[in-house]
Amino acid sequence: MDLRGRSFLKDADFSAEEFSAVLDLAGVLREEKRTGRERRRLEGKNVALLFEKTSTRTRAAFEIGAHDQGAHASYLGAGETQFGVKESPEDTARVLGRMFDAIEFRGFRQADVEMLAAHSGVPVWNGLTDDWHPTQSLADLFTMRDHSARPLSDVSVCYVGDAANNTCASLVCSGALMGMDVRVAAPESRRPTRVAWTTAAALAASSGASLSITDDPMAAVSGADFLYTDVWLSLGEPEELWDDRIDALLPYQVNEALVAATGNPHVKLLHCLPAFHDANTGIGKKILEKRGLRAMEITDEVFRSPASLVFEEAENRLHTIKALMVATLHGIDD
Ligand code: CP
Ligand code: NVA
């Protein structure tokens, strides 16, 4: 298998075999790092990290992953480049492609990351757009694989909450690609986008995945191996929407009652982070004052419970993003 030169703009860009191979490589790289035997496969490479939106995990994973592998990463933050304001995405792509070996992009428009891939001539990695968050699902499926005795095609995951966002779009598509039992519990107003759902349905048709959606969270989670949730308001959405989102999504909060409704004593919890599980954030404080809520999409008890894999999942961003860089710049096989 040869992934050199390939971009990763959305989950469906990789076949199931390719997606699996990147996860396998992530396992090898994690082991090398843990045992102090990491081999530098990206020596002499330069990667651009172009961010229009804020980030903790994704930026850290690309920077440390590149450094561990001997590559140099240049962080080009929001408002620090000419991108989109004084220079078109196409022109920026042509310039960066002449200086860098690859480009990571986190921003608003999916069209922009596609433009970078079309005109840079180098691999482009989507570090989150309004539509997709595919490097997140690499870490999510890696984490689920690690915590399942059965193959992913025998594992169920239920996404609960704001299903109209990028994280859910990527989870349903990557889960469908890998033949999983993928369930969504969301209100009518926050269902996955048409593009995400039709893509997932097409992937499920060829992989044998099961795909279902309901507005009944208690029914959806029954028997699930993993519960997944994400913030109710995504980067770039106006704060004025908080009230409507809370009203629509409070019945979908991941709390002890919902965990109990799985009927699975071994159920595990995932969240891409950052999470509003307490009031120790700027937004969390405002919501506590205004709405009297200490937590939103996931309660503190559940977030901190032994069933929660969220910090391991966050660490896995590093191993999987590093694997993506190695696979597309150096090659999947040693
Ligand atoms: N999960 C994730 O993408 O986190 P950051 O926004 O901190 O990168
Ligand atoms: N859906 C969230 C994911 C953050 C990692 C957002 O886009 O803000």
Side-chain angles (χ1 to χ4, degrees):
M1 180 183 300
D2 189 3
L3 286 174
R4 282 174 302 171
R6 291 273 294 277
S7 288
F8 189 50
L9 308 181
K10 56 187 186 308
D11 309 78
D13 287 354
F14 284 174
S15 68
E17 292 69 31
E18 290 167 344
F19 201 98
S20 257
V22 174
L23 301 191
D24 291 343
L25 179 59
V28 170
L29 294 169
R30 177 172 63 183
E31 186 58 18
E32 284 188 14
K33 186 172 169 89
R34 285 185 176 168
T35 54
R37 289 183 293 109
E38 185 152 355
R39 207 155 55 71
R40 300 175 145 216
R41 298 161 176 84
L42 299 181
E43 219 125 52
K45 302 286 187 197
N46 290 290
V47 301
L49 310 180
L50 186 55
F51 280 76
E52 289 186 308
K53 292 176 177 172
T54 52
S55 165
T56 297
R57 280 142 288 269
T58 308
R59 174 186 178 173
F62 273 103
E63 287 196 341
I64 296 172
H67 181 264
D68 281 351
Q69 282 293 311
H72 174 79
S74 295
Y75 178 73
L76 308 172
E80 292 177 2
T81 67
Q82 318 289 16
F83 182 80
V85 181
K86 286 178 70 182
E87 190 168 60
S88 68
E90 177 180 343
D91 291 358
T92 300
R94 291 184 192 278
V95 173
L96 294 182
R98 284 170 176 262
M99 298 192 192
F100 291 94
D101 298 290
I103 302 166
E104 180 276 356
F105 175 75
R106 166 173 287 204
F108 296 89
R109 288 154 34 93
Q110 180 68 17
D112 286 347
V113 77
E114 284 170 6
M115 192 65 98
L116 289 171
H119 298 286
S120 64
V122 297
V124 173
W125 309 303
N126 181 350
L128 177 149
T129 59
D130 290 345
D131 297 0
W132 305 104
H133 195 4
T135 64
Q136 181 65 49
S137 33
L138 285 175
D140 298 338
L141 270 69
F142 186 69
T143 309
M144 288 192 266
R145 216 172 67 157
D146 257 2
H147 284 271
S148 306
R150 290 166 272 125
L152 284 177
S153 54
D154 268 332
V155 169
S156 53
V157 58
C158 184
Y159 182 98
V160 186
D162 182 15
N165 76 15
N166 42 18
T167 303
C168 181
S170 279
L171 183 75
V172 296
C173 287
S174 55
L177 178 71
M178 301 307 286
M180 296 180 71
D181 171 0
V182 183
R183 310 156 183 199
V184 173
E188 199 68 50
S189 59
R190 299 303 298 165
R191 289 193 158 209
T193 60
R194 183 182 296 274
V195 171
W197 201 250
T198 52
T199 305
L203 293 167
S206 51
S207 70
S210 153
L211 202 56
S212 59
I213 185 158
T214 171
D215 61 4
D216 180 348
M218 295 288 181
V221 301
S222 176
D225 296 305
F226 293 90
L227 299 188
Y228 198 118
T229 191
D230 184 16
V231 289
W232 291 343
L233 196 75
S234 283
L235 288 163
E237 294 191 302
E239 282 201 25
E240 299 79 73
L241 290 179
W242 267 121
D243 273 325
D244 283 353
R245 287 292 162 83
I246 291 169
D247 292 341
L249 293 168
L250 208 46
Y252 298 85
Q253 184 184 60
V254 176
N255 52 32
E256 282 175 339
L258 193 70
V259 173
T262 64
N264 176 6
H266 306 295
V267 67
K268 298 277 187 278
L269 307 156
L270 298 170
H271 188 308
C272 61
L273 305 184
F276 291 115
H277 61 96
D278 59 21
N280 297 330
T281 61
I283 291 170
K285 281 190 180 67
K286 282 194 211 162
I287 302 284
L288 175 61
E289 266 169 37
K290 196 161 175 228
R291 304 284 308 241
L293 283 174
R294 294 210 158 267
M296 286 191 272
E297 72 275 6
I298 185 165
T299 60
D300 202 41
E301 299 74 48
V302 170
F303 185 86
R304 294 178 191 274
S305 73
S308 170
L309 300 177
V310 297
F311 293 111
E312 191 175 322
E313 181 186 5
E315 178 192 322
N316 287 338
R317 299 295 307 288
L318 168 62
H319 308 303
T320 48
I321 279 174
K322 190 191 283 181
L324 177 65
M325 291 193 284
V326 169
T328 54
L329 281 175
H330 166 85
I332 207 118
D333 305 310
D334 282 342

